[in-house]
Amino acid sequence: MNIPSEKELMKAGLHFGHKPENWHPQMANFIYGQKNGVHIIDLIKARQKLSEALEFVKKVASEGGKILFVGTKIQAKEIVKKYALLVNMPYVEEKWLGGTITNFKVINGLVKKMENLENQANKEDYEKKYTKKERLEFSLEIEHLKIGVEGIRNLTSLPQAIFLTSAKHEKTALLEAKKKHIPVVAVCDTNANPYDVDYAIPGNDDAIKSIELVAALVAEAIKEGTIKK
């Protein structure tokens, strides 16, 4: 697949990091310098790491693996959902439920509970069988469950890889993946430790354009891998 040039990565704002006082020392190798009070990411190195990450994603997809998209920052939510759905992959965009990976059986039980409630609500005798108050309670419970498990309702087993739009923000998901030895691809801003991640993509994890660029490329790599299965 075509990897964006350094100029295209710059146009998306991938190079903007955080203020030097907020940096993580392990990111030193990926920092080009400073400008206007913020660290600037080395886009030559970022592009190389991006290419490596996308090759890995493509390989996982070519083997029929599931890649879980995770992005719960306000600016990442809709992007994560959009591109995960585009390639029929599971996603978490509202809230990471503790145990989603490390206690998958329990989380999968919540999915089944949600689906059972939805099935009940679609039955012809639903209104006759339950009072208005009961139906309201069921409706609220369904909405509550959807916040945590809607995007993983079709994930019947642990994913083969996880893509995080922010290694720093999605630290709970990262820790759970490491405990289960699930490879992680993640955007690492200058305040994150890239060596906590299997396939780190040095880059801005706050800007919408930057997040969308990486998410779109991950989706494209999945498409290419799936086609070549």
Side-chain angles (χ1 to χ4, degrees):
M1 65 182 297
N2 292 323
I3 307 298
S5 65
E6 285 88 7
K7 186 177 181 180
E8 289 170 321
L9 296 178
M10 182 179 289
K11 191 175 179 181
L14 197 82
H15 59 302
F16 290 120
H18 288 272
K19 292 180 180 180
E21 57 265 33
N22 295 327
W23 83 314
H24 195 294
Q26 295 286 15
M27 275 295 291
N29 190 45
F30 301 107
I31 294 174
Y32 177 79
Q34 293 182 37
K35 186 176 181 181
N36 298 327
V38 298
H39 272 139
I40 300 300
I41 293 167
D42 187 329
L43 290 181
I44 294 176
K45 292 179 179 178
R47 186 172 184 268
Q48 180 183 345
K49 298 297 286 184
L50 174 62
S51 179
E52 291 171 6
L54 294 175
E55 279 301 314
F56 168 71
V57 168
K58 187 175 173 181
K59 181 175 181 292
V60 172
S62 72
E63 295 170 350
K66 287 288 184 181
I67 299 165
L68 176 61
F69 283 55
V70 182
T72 61
K73 277 189 176 184
I74 292 173
Q75 58 269 51
K77 290 181 179 183
E78 288 304 315
I79 294 170
V80 158
K81 183 176 180 179
K82 172 185 173 182
Y83 288 101
L85 289 174
L86 189 66
V87 289
N88 195 31
M89 288 293 171
Y91 63 91
V92 173
E93 99 286 17
E94 284 294 340
K95 179 182 179 182
W96 179 270
L97 295 181
T100 295
I101 296 299
T102 53
N103 205 356
F104 182 76
K105 188 176 180 180
V106 170
I107 300 300
N108 192 240
L110 293 178
V111 172
K112 290 176 180 176
K113 182 179 181 181
M114 178 182 72
E115 291 177 338
N116 286 335
L117 288 170
E118 288 175 333
N119 289 335
Q120 285 290 337
N122 290 325
K123 289 183 178 178
E124 291 182 5
D125 63 348
Y126 184 62
E127 292 190 7
K128 292 180 181 178
K129 194 173 181 180
Y130 300 102
T131 65
K132 187 175 181 180
K133 182 182 177 182
E134 287 174 326
R135 296 198 305 273
L136 176 60
E137 289 174 350
F138 290 153
S139 177
L140 290 173
E141 187 167 10
I142 289 170
E143 290 307 309
H144 178 70
L145 287 167
K146 278 186 173 182
I147 291 173
V149 300
E150 173 66 20
I152 58 171
R153 67 161 71 218
N154 295 322
L155 188 64
T156 55
S157 60
L158 289 175
Q160 281 63 56
I162 297 179
F163 163 55
L164 309 177
T165 57
S166 170
K168 179 75 172 180
H169 189 75
E170 311 300 344
K171 58 184 178 181
T172 305
L174 176 57
L175 286 172
E176 289 194 24
K178 289 175 74 173
K179 285 180 181 178
K180 287 294 183 178
H181 306 291
I182 297 174
V184 175
V185 173
V187 177
C188 291
D189 211 323
T190 55
N191 61 348
N193 183 354
Y195 299 104
D196 275 342
V197 178
D198 299 276
Y199 295 90
I201 302 170
N204 185 343
D205 67 1
D206 289 310
I208 290 175
K209 284 185 178 180
S210 175
I211 296 168
E212 180 143 26
L213 175 70
V214 177
L217 288 168
V218 169
E220 185 61 31
I222 291 171
K223 275 186 181 179
E224 288 193 12
T226 304
I227 290 170
K228 294 180 180 180
K229 272 177 61 176

